[in-house]
Amino acid sequence: MKLRGLFILWTLVVFVSLGLSAYRVYADAEKTARIEASAHFNQVVNMRHWVASLGGVYAPITEQTQPNPFLVGKVAERDITTPLGKELTLLNPAYVTRLLAAGLVEKYQVHARLVSTNPVWEQNRADAWETRAIGAFLQKQKTEVIEISGDFKNADHMRYIAPLYLQQGCMGCHAAEGKVGDLRGAISVSIPMAPHYEVALRNARTITIVYGGIWIFGLGGISFFGRKINHALERLRDSESVLKEAQGIAHLGSWSLDHKTQVLEWSDEIYNIFGYHEGHIIATYENFLERVHPDERSVVDHAYWESVRKNEPYDIVHRIVRKDDGGVRYVRERCKHDCGTGGDVLISIGTVQDITDRVLAEQKIHQLAFQDVSTGMPNETKFLEGLGLCINKDAVGFVASIELAGMGDIVGTFGLEGSELIVYEMGIRLNREMNASSIVAKVGPRLFKILYVCEDGEKEHIRAIAQRLFNAAQEPFDLMGSSVLVNVYMGTAIIDSGTSTPQMMVTQTEMALHAANRSPQSEHVYYQPSIQEQFRRNTQLVSWMRTALATQVFKMFFQPQIDLRTNVVVGCEALIRWPVTSEEWITPGEFIPIAEKSGLIGDITRWTVEESCRIAASWFHEHGIKMRTGINISAEELASEDFFAYLSGFVKATKLPMQSFEIEITETALMKDVVVAGKNLQKIRDLGIGIAVDDFGTGQASMAYLKQFPIDKLKIDQAFIKGAPNDKTDQEIITSIITLAHTLGIGVIAEGAENKEHIDLLTALGCDEVQGYYLGRPMSADDFLQFVKNYPQ
Ligand code: C2E
Ligand code: CA
Ligand code: CA
């Protein structure tokens, strides 16, 4: 497009120049013609003056030079004969002029003649053009008239006419026509233009060829350089648009500020970043500052002018508020300054980059690194960070771990969403109990960690807050209209400012939580050094237990169970014993929970089943003693598939009736996984093995479950028996358990009967059977055999 314009312009220039040159050629041709005409004029005039000054010249009489009839009577010697007889005649100026003009016509086609409005010879009469010129000479308006006329001789001629005045030499013939100096007529010269035009045409042709060459050469040049320039321009435009595009992609705008003129220039991307529509606003520092977030405006303003004052580069990240949508974005601004010789900043050049995406990504990464994804609560990293800061500041308070247990049942009943909702609600609940300097973090699927910073370090006060937190955590949850109780365990460690370290606090709360998990008494345990001691002992016990199992150190003891109506030994409970030395025995109350946690319970239960069956079989087969043997089974064993096969295999091997065996399963174990427990119990029941619910009254078994399970007997927990004689409530509980059992059509046994009073009371309340120290302590198989044999019937 641009190239075509250049072609047209070049063509115009060449053609106008050619036109001008051609015009000059023709003008020069006319100029030459004029010179030629005036030369002929001068030639004629000079000749005439010369002849006039001589009074005429003699020439031999020839055909052209005949004696002049007009001189008859005017000159004395018109014709003379030379001494040698040559005949001469006098030629006057007019005659010579005529002869000269005739020669000019003949030789050069130049017509020159003397003209007058009042000629002596009629042929010298002026034509119309000549008459107008003579008139102008008379009026003294012109001294010469030149014209190119096509009319003359039917071809282009240049006509030149100038006045002819009377001179002294003319007076001989023309005295009658006036005085010296008067206008006598004019000399009119006409020269043909054809030869001049021919030359002009030739020159014009040459010029045209030259110009044509220049034109073509120029076109080539334009085309060549034009293309190059166009290409360069295109590349420039391309690089500009690439730069513009790149600025857009990088959200990077650039600006410059001339401090002298105060002219600020922004690139397009700056308008985009600030949310200004290009053209709607001019780039000014005020317009920039207006977009800076109000909270950071003064900081940014100060930072910029300080950098100008110190002539130092400036690099700052701040927020802006976009003009169009009011969106808040993060930008990074950098600038540097150029100084004059005086050290004053002349120009500042800078960039503005929208780094919102990067900042948000960093925030997200930070969030992911420090937050629990499902609840948005702080995670363990954040917790440890806060704990470290707090402990370094010698804060007082406590650190706690809270665990939600038994969530499997909630998932079974309310689905995964139900359990997640409870965990989420728990987070909210714990947060509500916090003060501003404390942290609740979710560190596991069902585990929370708490750092509570108290204002005063009074231990009692700190304990009261921890207890309040535990109580809040234990409150039932409202889930889809149902009130749901969740087992909550809490381990708390009180910060000992000065000696505590973050890692120490974490370890202590974990130990306390562990202890809470294990403890049958309390679900909230405070860390104390004895717990650590306990941990050490537990670890030791696990190792010893392995050895004890391998070396068959364990023993089975049996405690009698008496029918209260008949006073007959109807059964026994098999209880494991672990003699470490002849004096020291480790109680099952201590090692069975450790065995359960460490996974050794399976081996232990198998051993007890094996041993109990073996002994019961020997009593029966060798001594004819028929009775029921109760074996304690842990929750883990009840849930295991192969345990049933194992149990039935061993019981069958005794060749005793299945009814000779009973398994004892605690109420709590029963409720751990009601579905699995129900299924396995049914299998055991189908075989004919009895099922007793141990420690009944301490757990949360509901009537509904009791009806579902194939139970034969309830075993009232010894805690109720202990208090019963003096405690009305205990008595009422015992009564209601007995009633419940009888309503369900199953048996009931009380354990822990330590005295006669217990026996009497239980008998009075209608209990079926009893077990306790009063009637018989757990004893070895041999002792038990003797006991049975000796028991008064
Ligand atoms: P448990 O099943 O409730 O067993 C009854 C416990 O009460 C036994 O303690 C028994 O010695 C004790 N006891 C019986 N009568 C009285 C009484 O009149 N007064 C008092 N103060 N205590 C009485 P033991 O043998 O120390 O067992 C403790 C717990 O260890 C048992 O509670 C049971 O849960 C577990 N255990 C004992 N042997 C086994 C076993 O072979 N297998 C499994 N899995 N657990 C066992
Ligand atoms: Ca038991
Ligand atoms: Ca018991």
Side-chain angles (χ1 to χ4, degrees), residues 545-565:
M545 235 186 292
R546 283 208 176 94
T547 318
L549 272 168
T551 53
Q552 306 270 334
V553 173
F554 294 111
K555 293 193 178 319
M556 272 336 281
F557 270 39
F558 300 89
Q559 189 176 23
Q561 294 172 339
I562 315 289
D563 186 317
L564 279 174
R565 275 161 304 184

Side-chain angles (χ1 to χ4, degrees), residues 151-463:
D151 302 338
F152 190 79
K153 305 284 182 200
N154 293 328
D156 275 353
H157 276 73
M158 174 173 276
R159 302 195 69 184
Y160 179 91
I161 185 164
L164 184 67
Y165 297 101
L166 286 174
Q167 292 179 333
Q168 197 53 51
C170 309
M171 293 316 285
C173 300
H174 299 285
E177 292 155 24
K179 57 185 187 303
V180 174
D182 283 352
L183 182 76
R184 169 66 192 97
I187 291 179
S188 169
V189 177
S190 169
I191 62 164
M193 285 305 289
H196 292 280
Y197 284 151
E198 215 168 278
V199 171
L201 189 66
R202 246 193 336 265
N203 287 346
R205 269 196 202 121
T206 310
I207 286 169
T208 305
I209 289 164
V210 170
Y211 269 83
I214 290 170
W215 179 63
I216 288 165
F217 185 73
L219 286 185
I222 288 169
S223 152
F224 178 74
F225 289 109
R227 261 175 230 283
K228 279 217 161 216
I229 289 165
N230 262 354
H231 190 57
L233 283 172
E234 251 166 46
R235 277 174 55 183
L236 189 66
R237 273 196 297 273
D238 281 355
S239 61
E240 264 177 13
S241 73
V242 165
L243 184 67
K244 219 168 156 181
E245 197 120 313
Q247 285 201 352
I249 291 167
H251 303 298
L252 178 74
S254 54
W255 58 268
S256 65
L257 173 65
D258 186 327
H259 287 263
K260 245 187 175 170
T261 59
Q262 286 301 304
V263 171
L264 176 65
E265 278 179 11
W266 287 346
S267 73
D268 295 353
E269 192 53 26
I270 289 207
Y271 287 93
N272 284 342
I273 291 171
F274 290 159
Y276 283 129
H277 295 288
E278 220 177 318
H280 284 192
I281 196 132
I282 52 157
T284 63
Y285 184 73
E286 286 66 36
N287 281 334
F288 154 70
L289 213 54
E290 204 179 301
R291 299 278 51 88
V292 178
H293 194 283
D295 294 352
E296 289 157 8
R297 201 167 285 155
S298 59
V299 177
V300 172
D301 191 28
H302 180 259
Y304 172 69
W305 290 113
E306 268 299 283
S307 89
V308 172
R309 195 175 65 77
K310 293 181 182 162
N311 182 23
E312 281 174 356
Y314 129 110
D315 189 338
I316 191 169
V317 171
H318 64 85
R319 285 168 300 162
I320 56 157
V321 181
R322 283 171 61 83
K323 174 74 179 171
D324 51 2
D325 55 13
V328 174
R329 313 284 296 175
Y330 288 87
V331 294
R332 181 180 185 180
E333 266 206 82
R334 291 200 270 191
C335 99
K336 69 184 200 68
H337 314 285
D338 272 350
C339 285
T341 43
D344 291 345
V345 171
L346 297 180
I347 192 157
S348 298
I349 297 164
T351 57
V352 179
Q353 187 170 21
D354 186 333
I355 55 163
T356 311
D357 290 349
R358 203 178 76 201
V359 171
L360 293 182
E362 280 169 5
Q363 283 175 358
K364 188 81 195 160
I365 289 166
H366 186 269
Q367 214 176 23
L368 288 174
F370 291 101
Q371 271 188 5
D372 172 70
V373 181
S374 59
T375 57
M377 290 174 73
N379 64 6
E380 189 154 27
T381 315
K382 180 78 188 163
F383 174 78
L384 291 174
E385 189 188 82
L387 183 65
L389 286 172
C390 237
I391 286 182
N392 287 342
K393 278 197 229 152
D394 287 342
V396 289
F398 65 88
V399 177
S401 288
I402 291 185
E403 188 184 13
L404 310 186
M407 295 295 279
D409 285 349
I410 291 168
V411 174
T413 318
F414 299 99
L416 205 59
E417 298 83 12
S419 85
E420 279 174 0
L421 207 64
I422 283 185
V423 174
Y424 186 77
E425 284 291 326
M426 179 62 89
I428 294 176
R429 195 179 280 187
L430 294 175
N431 252 314
R432 232 178 334 210
E433 298 294 324
M434 294 292 112
N435 61 13
S437 17
S438 304
I439 306 173
V440 184
K442 184 164 169 279
V443 300
R446 281 138 203 190
L447 188 62
F448 295 90
K449 277 206 165 107
I450 288 160
L451 163 67
Y452 198 101
V453 180
C454 297
E455 277 175 9
D456 78 82
E458 187 55 52
K459 276 219 164 105
E460 277 320 298
H461 177 64
I462 295 173
R463 278 173 172 266

Side-chain angles (χ1 to χ4, degrees), residues 556 559 573-577 587-589 592 601 605 608 632-634 664 694-695 718 722 751-754 771-774 778:
M556 272 336 281
Q559 189 176 23
E573 180 181 1
L575 295 159
I576 192 168
R577 290 294 175 262
T587 64
I592 290 291
I601 192 67
T605 307
T608 56
N632 291 287
I633 305 294
S634 66
E664 289 190 14
D694 205 355
D695 302 342
Q718 47 185 291
K722 258 188 194 109
E751 59 180 337
E754 290 185 342
Q771 176 186 342
Y773 289 174
Y774 182 70

Side-chain angles (χ1 to χ4, degrees), residues 18 23 47 60 293 297 322 501 535 588 617 667 672 708 718:
L18 177 65
Y23 171 79
M47 178 60 76
H293 194 283
R297 201 167 285 155
R322 283 171 61 83
T501 65
F535 263 86
E667 194 187 354
K672 246 185 179 168
Q708 266 181 37
Q718 47 185 291

